[in-house]
Amino acid sequence: MERKIQYVIVSLLCSFFFTPAVLADDRLNAPLLIRVGAYENKPKIFTDESGNVVGLFADILNHISKEEGWQLEYVHGSWSQCLKRLEENEIDLMVDVAYSEKRAQKYHFTNVTVLINWAIVYAGTNQKIESLIDLNGKRIAVMKASIHTEGVEGIKSLAKNFDINCRFVEVESYQEVFERISRGEVEAGVVNRIYGSLFSQAYNVRETSIIFNPRHLRFALPKSAALSPLLSKRLDHHLSELKKEPASIYNKALYIYLSGLPRELIYSEPETERAGKRVILSSEEAAWIRDHPVIRIGVDPEFAPFEYITSDGSYDGIASDYIAILNERLGLHMQLAVTRGWKDAVSKAKTREIDVLPCVGITRQRTGFLKFSKPYINFYRVIITRTDNPFLTGLEDLENMNVAVQADTSHEGYLQDNTNIAPLLYDTLQEGLLALSNEQADAFVGNLTSSTYWIRKLNLTNLKVAAPVSQETQNLHFAVRDDWPVLVGILNKGLSSISEQEEIEIRKKWINIEYKPGISRRAFWRYTFQIGGVVLVVFAVIMFWNYRLKHEIHKRIQIEKELFEANQNLRALDRLKSMFIASMSHELRTPLNSIIGFTGVILQGMTGPLNDKQHDHLSRVYNSAKHLLNLITDVIDISKIEAGRIEIFRQEVNLAELVDEAVITIQPQLRDKKLTLQTSVSGELVMHTDKKRLLQCIINYLSNAVKYTESGTIAITARQIDDRVEILVSDTGIGISQEDQTRLFDAFERLDSHLRVKEGGTGLGLYLTRKLATEILGGEVLVRSREGRGSTFGLLLPIGADTAASH
Ligand code: ADP
């Protein structure tokens, strides 16, 4: 009764204000209660565990109503009950109603389509079913009373119109359709595209290019309600806006529901932080870490703020913060080893009593026994002189001078490599500076940050920073004993995982604060006496320098902040790009599949005879569309991997059976080219991995082998090597030059050859294979080839659950 009154009032208001002016900004007068028919049809609309109505359509509607200030009341019922209520004006709205002209006579539809749904034929993975004609003589599971089974454009009438003789096995649900296909009780089955895309992988069934019966799903409203035109106008307005915006709730919901990802993701902000922390280790790296429970590090006890030993003997400084993160993230145990100072640490690194020097520059000498990670800290190398020294412009002015430098540092190496200077060597940085201050040397070369720190600390007021050594910054790296190259790779991966924000935090912590490194008692008294002799003449110069330094640091922090923000925006955009590509590509498959399906039908002469020209032209359409479909399918896979959204389904895989399955797929091309095929895979070889993705990799290699081989043999071998499996696909084809082999696995790389045009290709196959093999299957790809002699492409993958990448 109350509702009726509300309707009367709203109708009156509507007719009263129904003028163009109102239409221009026709937000409905809120708050308005809207009753919505709710039924169970996952993932489009369904009730979650807490009783909320959610789903692709419901989430979009909930969002729109929040924007409009509407209040929604979901009225639960079955699909047919809901439709009946709509017809009788008992509810105001139904989501997910397929538009048809017949229905449009009964209901008021929105103009904008929310989603197009259609039926797809799925088949067993070993079935060669590509066009309608291939269904001849097959058993096909279909859902009872479904519009895709019985409707005018359903599979039954389609089969009848094309004279296809198949047996329909009627079942109760889409789930049963897939179960029957995967048990091999039927060769194929029909489901709607949404169910198909969500569950085909779990049942290991294959999508064919046979699609039919596209339906525009829209919102439907009661025909007679006064509210309907206005309500549907607002819905249309929101829908078209939401569709345009790639990051809108509409596009996110579409992507997430159609890929079967958790619903919460729709509402989560891009997690750039977490993404930054992902470290994917190869199984070799993981095994290396297991085999090396402790890594001994040798440090410079007096290299503040980069690294130093505090008065209570613990390790501190910028490098120690990096080590803490790397230890935690990589599962390493880098531990401080006992040394007698920096020189001792370096010589112990030479004899491998120490494994890692965590904070060093690269010098020629050091490369003789160490390998370096990428840089993670940089600094300026500068020349320090006494204030009474003449003006200097650079290293050139130091020839014939006594130049002090700390022994075994990158500065010593730098002078050796770039000048003829024979420097005076000091064990510690402080000793070098004191020598300069005491006029035992004319200049000192060291790094700006720690030198100015010690000048201030030791109050060496007769010293000044005279000139930079070069405009470039010098870098600090982790140095690893050179028989441990694997550790360098691991450290690099760990360093890349450290986000900009974390780096900024570390720097903020160490710049502009007082460090309290311990100095030995002896050194303390020695310094104290020496410092006592030094006068405070040029204190102002250092103050000035400090001021400049602070200013510079402030500027750098500001720039770093801006960079960080820009980077974050870029990452968010990148994720959106991947999401957008994935959902757009999904939509592109619709028209393409129908082009392929129907040109296939026409080409086979089922709709009447074709003359040669027509046949030729149509074949081009058919081949181009297939090419485009392959491209889109690859792009979808790549963008899913890049967005970190590909799900991994591990199961027992008998390798011999899987290879047979791959061979069946490329059999027609093999036969056309008259190539022979040899397989050598032990029937016992069982892996625990993602079957579909492994199959995809093998098929990619195999079809390349067939494409790029004109005569001879293609061989597939697989063998177990420890806890890994090596799968090799060899051919006797055109081969690949040494130089080209390096860029083979990059995106869109197609090499020049006489087969390039003849053999179609996207240049994405190997790129995708590498991504799948490394990022999904946790292994690696290999290639060996000689030009004109043939190629061998390989996969080296972990055999079991323990070693496969699960991050
Ligand atoms: P495409 O779709 O072009 O085959 P791929 O990424 O699969 O793209 O391969 C990239 C390029 O690598 C190919 O264009 C081809 O030049 C070369 N290639 C791949 N496999 C072989 C092979 N077995 N023998 C010779 N060249 C090959």
Side-chain angles (χ1 to χ4, degrees):
M1 190 58 198
E2 209 183 301
R3 292 286 312 171
K4 288 256 160 67
I5 294 170
Q6 198 178 355
Y7 263 122
V8 173
I9 295 170
V10 172
S11 326
L12 280 173
L13 279 174
C14 288
S15 48
F16 189 71
F17 287 110
F18 204 74
T19 65
V22 174
L23 276 180
D25 177 22
D26 43 13
R27 263 175 182 268
L28 290 171
N29 282 335
L32 183 65
L33 183 73
I34 297 174
R35 293 163 308 171
V36 185
Y39 55 99
E40 300 304 308
N41 188 359
K42 212 169 178 176
K44 293 191 280 183
I45 178 167
F46 60 99
T47 317
D48 70 7
E49 296 100 54
S50 354
N52 297 321
V53 178
V54 295
L56 175 54
F57 281 78
D59 284 8
I60 296 168
L61 178 63
N62 290 342
H63 170 81
I64 296 177
S65 67
K66 216 190 272 166
E67 292 271 296
E68 287 283 329
W70 301 336
Q71 203 184 327
L72 299 182
E73 183 195 315
Y74 282 102
V75 182
H76 292 262
S78 68
W79 161 252
S80 56
Q81 272 170 341
C82 287
L83 271 185
K84 194 154 166 284
R85 284 181 188 147
L86 193 70
E87 213 177 322
E88 290 171 3
N89 217 345
E90 285 173 22
I91 53 174
D92 309 315
L93 186 64
M94 255 182 93
V95 300
D96 181 25
V97 183
Y99 176 89
S100 71
E101 281 182 7
K102 205 164 136 212
R103 276 192 179 149
Q105 290 167 6
K106 271 201 227 164
Y107 313 110
H108 184 105
F109 278 92
T110 48
N111 284 326
V112 180
T113 294
V114 181
L115 183 72
I116 305 179
N117 204 6
W118 58 86
I120 301 188
V121 174
Y122 278 81
T125 45
N126 52 356
Q127 294 295 323
K128 171 125 191 34
I129 297 177
E130 276 315 326
S131 70
L132 264 181
I133 307 123
D134 297 330
L135 295 180
N136 219 354
K138 301 282 185 328
R139 291 162 299 179
I140 302 164
V142 292
M143 188 156 86
K144 227 181 254 171
S146 153
I147 192 158
H148 301 311
T149 309
E150 306 293 348
V152 241
E153 290 172 46
I155 185 85
K156 283 188 176 171
S157 68
L158 210 59
K160 200 164 143 227
N161 291 346
F162 283 107
D163 246 355
I164 288 160
N165 208 347
C166 47
R167 218 183 85 213
F168 292 104
V169 178
E170 298 207 339
V171 299
E172 293 298 331
S173 63
Y174 285 148
Q175 184 183 335
E176 211 180 325
V177 171
F178 274 180
E179 279 169 3
R180 298 234 176 180
I181 305 177
S182 66
R183 287 202 298 263
E185 292 169 23
V186 294
E187 285 77 30
V190 175
V191 300
N192 80 35
R193 68 128 165 173
I194 299 175
Y195 185 85
S197 74
L198 287 184
F199 299 105
S200 59
Q201 208 167 7
Y203 288 94
N204 199 23
V205 292
R206 192 177 58 81
E207 180 184 328
T208 70
S209 17
I210 312 172
I211 66 157
F212 55 95
N213 208 10
R215 299 263 147 188
H216 286 247
L217 303 181
R218 297 183 185 169
F219 290 106
L221 305 93
K223 190 87 182 165
S224 55
L227 195 59
S228 295
L230 223 52
L231 205 56
S232 67
K233 194 159 186 294
R234 292 308 298 162
L235 287 167
D236 277 340
H237 164 76
H238 282 284
L239 274 174
S240 41
E241 289 301 309
L242 289 170
K243 281 185 157 188
K244 274 188 238 158
E245 167 57 51
S248 69
I249 198 96
Y250 171 90
N251 283 311
K252 281 186 180 175
L254 204 65
Y255 176 71
I256 279 160
Y257 279 115
L258 297 191
S259 359
L261 293 164
R263 173 175 177 270
E264 296 69 52
L265 278 179
I266 302 173
Y267 301 96
S268 70
E269 286 305 313
E271 293 168 62
T272 42
E273 262 314 282
R274 271 223 334 248
K277 289 182 183 167
R278 246 163 74 109
V279 183
I280 299 177
L281 294 173
S282 70
S283 48
E284 188 193 0
E285 289 164 337
W288 191 96
I289 294 174
R290 268 201 308 276
D291 295 344
H292 296 83
V294 173
I295 296 163
R296 298 159 300 178
I297 59 170
V299 308
D300 186 341
E302 294 167 343
F303 190 31
F306 301 117
E307 63 174 3
Y308 62 96
I309 303 292
T310 63
S311 45
D312 61 9
S314 53
Y315 179 48
D316 221 340
I318 297 178
S320 98
D321 282 1
Y322 275 87
I323 287 182
I325 296 180
L326 294 176
N327 274 349
E328 200 240 347
R329 205 163 288 170
L330 298 165
L332 297 175
H333 296 283
M334 290 192 260
Q335 283 176 10
L336 191 63
V338 181
T339 58
R340 286 170 280 110
W342 177 236
K343 265 181 86 115
D344 188 39
V346 176
S347 65
K348 284 198 165 125
K350 257 185 223 164
T351 52
R352 293 182 181 161
E353 287 162 81
I354 275 181
D355 309 314
V356 170
L357 302 173
C359 195
V360 295
I362 301 180
T363 63
R364 195 168 35 83
Q365 268 175 336
R366 287 179 186 162
T367 46
F369 59 101
L370 294 166
K371 286 203 179 309
F372 294 86
S373 74
K374 57 186 194 179
Y376 67 102
I377 309 175
N378 46 41
F379 61 81
Y380 287 99
R381 199 192 305 282
V382 290
I383 304 168
I384 315 260
T385 59
R386 279 188 304 280
T387 42
D388 54 5
N389 266 42
F391 179 71
L392 280 179
T393 55
L395 273 185
E396 317 77 68
D397 299 336
L398 294 186
E399 306 270 330
N400 309 321
M401 279 197 186
N402 285 329
V403 181
V405 72
Q406 187 186 354
D408 282 318
T409 59
S410 68
H411 312 293
E412 183 198 346
Y414 186 85
L415 291 182
Q416 256 176 26
D417 291 348
N418 297 289
T419 67
N420 296 322
I421 299 170
L424 306 171
L425 299 180
Y426 293 87
D427 280 356
T428 64
L429 192 144
Q430 297 92 309
E431 283 169 307
L433 287 174
L434 283 166
L436 173 63
S437 181
N438 291 336
E439 302 189 10
Q440 288 153 12
D442 306 317
F444 175 87
V445 174
N447 94 62
L448 175 64
T449 319
S450 39
S451 303
T452 46
Y453 166 76
W454 279 110
I455 290 174
R456 202 158 34 127
K457 185 91 188 158
L458 301 174
N459 211 10
L460 304 178
T461 45
N462 67 337
L463 301 190
K464 69 175 180 192
V465 176
V469 168
S470 74
Q471 290 308 316
E472 295 153 26
T473 54
Q474 265 64 55
N475 296 322
L476 292 174
H477 311 249
F478 278 87
V480 178
R481 49 190 272 194
D482 64 350
D483 58 335
W484 282 8
V486 182
L487 181 57
V488 178
I490 296 173
L491 289 173
N492 280 341
K493 283 187 181 177
L495 286 171
S496 310
S497 81
I498 296 176
S499 68
E500 291 92 322
Q501 189 54 34
E502 286 170 319
E503 300 211 81
I504 289 172
E505 289 302 321
I506 296 177
R507 255 162 246 170
K508 257 199 231 152
K509 179 175 154 197
W510 290 107
I511 287 169
N512 277 347
I513 62 149
E514 275 295 314
Y515 316 108
K516 295 192 178 57
I519 307 176
S520 70
R521 202 171 284 232
R522 227 183 74 225
F524 175 77
W525 287 117
R526 201 170 72 219
Y527 299 149
T528 314
F529 282 126
Q530 284 165 329
I531 293 158
V534 179
V535 201
L536 288 165
V537 187
V538 266
F539 185 66
V541 177
I542 292 165
M543 287 301 285
F544 174 68
W545 178 261
N546 271 349
Y547 166 78
R548 290 264 311 270
L549 193 63
K550 255 191 192 161
H551 187 70
E552 181 66 19
I553 289 166
H554 178 77
K555 227 167 71 189
R556 287 192 116 201
I557 291 180
Q558 198 59 31
I559 293 171
E560 270 170 3
K561 218 172 107 197
E562 280 165 21
L563 261 178
F564 174 69
E565 275 163 17
N567 230 315
Q568 240 186 349
N569 287 343
L570 272 178
R571 281 197 195 162
L573 274 176
D574 195 53
R575 283 165 66 103
L576 282 177
K577 176 214 75 183
S578 296
M579 259 168 79
F580 181 68
I581 292 178
S583 48
M584 272 313 293
S585 311
H586 218 89
E587 296 301 322
L588 285 174
R589 279 219 293 231
T590 320
L592 267 181
N593 273 321
S594 76
I595 293 171
I596 293 169
F598 288 109
T599 39
V601 168
I602 302 170
L603 273 173
Q604 305 220 9
M606 304 204 55
T607 48
L610 292 174
N611 65 32
D612 287 350
K613 204 161 186 179
Q614 286 166 337
H615 195 277
D616 175 51
H617 288 179
L618 216 52
S619 300
R620 287 169 196 239
V621 173
Y622 184 78
N623 288 332
S624 306
K626 281 210 127 177
H627 175 79
L628 207 53
L629 187 65
N630 287 338
L631 190 67
I632 288 170
T633 311
D634 284 352
V635 167
I636 291 178
D637 279 343
I638 290 167
S639 59
K640 272 191 181 169
I641 298 176
E642 283 176 353
R645 294 205 163 136
I646 210 156
E647 282 199 70
I648 306 176
F649 290 94
R650 283 206 197 83
Q651 62 188 107
E652 296 271 294
V653 180
N654 178 308
L655 206 54
E657 286 172 13
L658 192 79
V659 167
D660 285 347
E661 218 170 304
V663 170
I664 290 175
T665 321
I666 54 131
Q667 200 74 53
Q669 292 99 299
L670 261 179
R671 224 177 292 130
D672 291 347
K673 284 201 150 178
K674 302 200 174 54
L675 299 169
T676 46
L677 181 89
Q678 291 168 357
T679 54
S680 155
V681 182
S682 151
E684 320 282 85
L685 205 46
V686 174
M687 295 174 71
H688 189 85
T689 190
D690 189 319
K691 183 174 174 184
K692 179 174 164 183
R693 299 303 172 185
L694 177 57
L695 183 66
Q696 206 172 343
C697 292
I698 300 177
I699 290 177
N700 278 351
Y701 278 169
L702 265 179
S703 65
N704 275 350
V706 177
K707 274 202 281 187
Y708 302 107
T709 304
E710 283 164 311
S711 63
T713 309
I714 289 171
I716 313 171
T717 58
R719 61 181 178 137
Q720 185 170 348
I721 309 172
D722 302 326
D723 58 352
R724 297 204 283 179
V725 171
E726 182 194 63
I727 304 163
L728 299 177
V729 177
S730 311
D731 61 55
T732 52
I734 58 172
I736 303 151
S737 72
Q738 198 69 30
E739 185 192 332
D740 287 339
Q741 285 176 28
T742 49
R743 55 190 177 95
L744 266 187
F745 287 91
D746 294 343
F748 297 110
E749 279 296 347
R750 303 203 67 218
L751 310 177
D752 266 336
S753 76
H754 63 285
L755 293 179
R756 184 188 153 105
V757 177
K758 189 170 133 216
E759 297 292 353
T762 59
L764 284 178
L766 289 181
Y767 178 64
L768 178 61
T769 306
R770 177 169 60 86
K771 278 200 165 280
L772 288 170
T774 55
E775 293 174 36
I776 304 299
L777 304 175
E780 40 193 287
V781 291
L782 327 160
V783 60
R784 282 195 298 272
S785 181
R786 280 181 61 194
E787 220 170 344
R789 302 287 285 274
S791 316
T792 297
F793 282 83
L795 297 165
L796 193 57
L797 305 174
I799 196 163
D802 292 340
T803 41
S806 56
H807 351 250

